[in-house]
């Protein structure tokens, strides 16, 4: 089995992970661990303190005291989620975090948001291989319900991702994007 640090190094390199027997065994191990913890998180009522405890175990470090997650929450890895302070994740979100999901302080994530950090090789003979790229979400970002953020995207501080948007490219700070694929709408209004 591949050690977690070595697996994370492969994912962060941007190179393809050949899904041989050892890689498959390793990915299955971490996927099953994540499924076990998310099943515990999602299967019965937990107050916010209990949710923080389970979520901390899932991602491998203690989350901020003001972190809130509404269940259900899903991830197929869990070990490459990095949260700032005062992050809120609404119900039914799905994080595919092998490539790394980095979420800044005071960020709000709406219902049913998908963050996907994995892609597959284009060649049908190698399509099972994985290529990871991180998603980086800045501070004070608002991601609307049913938005999807794809591998390698960076969202700048203060940005708004409209409900239902599919974000395929970086989003500048203090910008609003909407649509499929997401396009710039306007700058965020700030009260003076």
């Amino acid at each position: 089995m591949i050690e977690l640090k070595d697996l994370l190094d492969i994912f962060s390199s941007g190179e393809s992970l050949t899904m041989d027997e050892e890689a498959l065994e390793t990915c299955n191990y971490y996927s099953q661990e994540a499924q076990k913890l998310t099943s515990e998180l999602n299967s019965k009522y937990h107050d916010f303190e209990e949710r923080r405890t389970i979520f901390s175990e899932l991602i491998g470090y203690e989350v901020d005291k003001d972190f809130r997650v509404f269940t259900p929450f899903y991830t197929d890895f869990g070990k490459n989620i990095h949260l700032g302070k005062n992050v809120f994740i609404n119900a039914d979100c799905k994080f595919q975090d092998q490539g790394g999901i980095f979420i800044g302080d005071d960020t709000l994530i709406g219902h049913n948001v998908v963050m996907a950090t994995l892609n597959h090789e284009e060649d049908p003979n190698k399509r099972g291989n994985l290529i990871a790229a991180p998603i980086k979400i800045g501070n004070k970002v608002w991601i609307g319900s049913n938005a999807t953020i794809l591998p390698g995207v960076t969202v700048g501080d203060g940005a708004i991702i409209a409900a239902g948007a599919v974000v395929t490219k970086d989003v500048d700070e203090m910008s609003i994007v909407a649509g499929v694929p997401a396009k710039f709408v306007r700058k965020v209004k700030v009260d003076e």
Side-chain angles (χ1 to χ4, degrees), residues 52-64 78-84 101-103:
R52 281 190 286 273
T53 298
I54 296 167
F55 209 92
S56 294
E57 185 177 353
L58 174 66
I59 66 174
Y61 68 91
E62 189 173 341
V63 298
D64 178 65
K79 299 302 183 198
N80 210 359
I81 297 172
H82 309 273
L83 302 174
I101 295 175
F102 301 83
I103 299 173

Side-chain angles (χ1 to χ4, degrees), residues 100-117:
I101 295 175
F102 301 83
I103 299 173
D105 298 343
D106 303 311
T107 289
L108 305 172
I109 300 173
H111 291 91
N112 204 38
V113 167
V114 173
M115 293 194 200
T117 66

Side-chain angles (χ1 to χ4, degrees), residues 26 42 46 62 65 70 72 99 114 147 163 181 185:
T26 302
N42 297 332
H46 297 283
E62 189 173 341
K65 65 179 179 53
F70 285 3
V114 173
V185 175

Side-chain angles (χ1 to χ4, degrees), residues 103-191:
I103 299 173
D105 298 343
D106 303 311
T107 289
L108 305 172
I109 300 173
H111 291 91
N112 204 38
V113 167
V114 173
M115 293 194 200
T117 66
L118 287 181
N119 220 327
H120 295 274
E121 290 198 40
E122 188 173 318
D123 180 342
N125 298 313
K126 298 178 182 179
R127 195 154 297 154
N129 296 341
L130 303 176
I131 303 168
I135 292 172
K136 297 177 182 176
I137 309 296
N139 297 319
K140 298 184 179 181
V141 171
W142 174 17
I143 302 172
S145 296
N146 295 305
T148 299
I149 302 176
L150 296 180
V153 167
T154 296
V155 178
D157 292 346
I160 298 173
I161 309 300
V166 177
V167 185
T168 62
K169 297 180 181 173
D170 291 353
V171 177
D172 289 339
E173 65 181 30
M174 302 299 286
S175 294
I176 300 173
V177 298
V180 180
K183 292 187 168 90
F184 176 79
V185 175
R186 65 175 169 82
K187 289 304 237 181
V188 172
K189 294 177 185 174
V190 179
D191 293 335

